[in-house]
Amino acid sequence: QKEVEQDPGPLSVPEGAIVSLNCTYSNSAFQYFMWYRQYSRKGPELLMYTYSSGNKEDGRFTAQVDKSSKYISLFIRDSQPSDSATYLCAISQDGTGRRALTFGSGTRLQVQP
Amino acid sequence: KAGVTQTPRYLIKTRGQQVTLSCSPISGHRSVSWYQQTPGQGLQFLFEYFSETQRNKGNFPGRFSGRQFSNSRSEMNVSTLELGDSALYLCASSLDRGYEQFFGPGTRLTVL
């Protein structure tokens, strides 16, 4: 069993739809949670970062963390064709100061105009 | 502020050769981490350097090594290349505090 599970998709939605992307994790020691967006043949771009349960909003993006269920989500409102990319959840291994991230496999999103 | 830069962007090598990749972190960032990305295994952590010391290491063979210089720039080296080493190698930097990591564009290594 992988430490971080993420549905690989592809997920296809019409422009303007609300997109929900999810990851589950197994290690309760994970404390810091990130979402990255990666366009084809580019490096990952940090979208959201949070370290507590609850919601964090930034523009059209909302990150949600439920530590009791070991479940994290990213919501994209009013999705645009430019949001078409692979979305990766990433979780820190622990809070000791070391910065190794464990990544999900990524969900490929296609927003149809 | 300039982002993370990596050189070269593309490399083609043959089996048995060695390769050195370079990473310049965001100004002020002292932590540099390296990751390998392949279609089959996804993004996997290689190692992290902080203040010229390796602070953390992933589950990769000893052929993979790295170092960090006093200006926080980092290099990683892969010796005795194998076909399976073909991948996108990503460097990420972060501040002393906080766990957000900012990635560079990567170096795409092809081993023939």
Side-chain angles (χ1 to χ4, degrees):
Chain A
Q1 182 188 5
K2 290 185 177 181
E3 286 190 289
V4 182
E5 298 278 359
Q6 184 175 9
D7 187 334
L11 178 62
S12 183
V13 301
E15 183 176 354
I18 296 175
V19 176
S20 173
L21 304 165
N22 310 293
C23 287
T24 58
Y25 61 95
S26 57
N27 188 343
S28 58
F30 287 152
Q31 297 185 31
Y32 300 89
F33 308 91
M34 280 148 270
W35 283 95
Y36 287 87
R37 176 174 63 193
Q38 186 173 26
Y39 292 111
S40 180
R41 309 188 79 81
K42 302 286 188 182
E45 172 194 6
L46 180 64
L47 287 176
M48 300 289 284
Y49 164 71
T50 185
Y51 54 87
S52 60
S53 284
N55 293 353
K56 180 177 180 180
E57 189 174 317
D58 184 0
R60 296 185 296 113
F61 299 94
T62 300
Q64 189 173 81
V65 175
D66 182 348
K67 287 188 176 181
S68 62
S69 301
K70 300 190 187 68
Y71 192 85
I72 64 173
S73 301
L74 177 71
F75 299 96
I76 307 174
R77 290 182 298 281
D78 188 24
S79 56
Q80 302 295 311
S82 58
D83 294 328
S84 298
T86 296
Y87 290 80
L88 298 146
C89 61
I91 307 177
S92 72
Q93 289 185 338
D94 57 49
T96 64
R98 299 180 300 176
R99 285 165 172 75
L101 291 177
T102 300
F103 281 85
S105 56
T107 299
R108 191 155 59 93
L109 171 67
Q110 295 172 340
V111 181
Q112 307 292 342
Chain B
K1 187 181 269 192
V4 178
T5 58
Q6 293 187 245
T7 56
R9 294 293 311 280
Y10 302 92
L11 265 179
I12 299 176
K13 293 286 187 179
T14 56
R15 277 183 302 174
Q17 287 187 308
Q18 75 166 23
V19 66
T20 298
L21 313 181
S22 181
C23 170
S24 292
I26 293 171
S27 178
H29 288 195
R30 292 199 292 162
S31 170
V32 174
S33 299
W34 289 89
Y35 294 82
Q36 181 196 66
Q37 186 174 31
T38 60
Q41 299 298 318
L43 262 158
Q44 293 184 287
F45 171 75
L46 280 158
F47 28 66
E48 180 208 358
Y49 285 87
F50 180 80
S51 290
E52 302 178 65
T53 302
Q54 187 181 87
R55 183 156 66 176
N56 199 1
K57 189 177 190 303
N59 189 25
F60 278 82
R63 300 186 297 107
F64 292 82
S65 62
R67 59 177 176 168
Q68 187 180 33
F69 302 95
S70 58
N71 61 359
S72 294
R73 190 177 69 85
S74 177
E75 289 181 346
M76 69 162 282
N77 184 76
V78 188
S79 62
T80 320
L81 284 166
E82 300 177 0
L83 295 178
D85 296 333
S86 294
L88 180 66
Y89 289 89
L90 292 157
C91 167
S93 73
S94 62
L95 287 165
D96 295 3
R97 295 182 179 182
Y99 288 81
E100 311 103 302
Q101 294 189 24
F102 299 90
F103 284 82
T107 294
R108 185 163 297 279
L109 171 65
T110 302
V111 182
L112 302 176

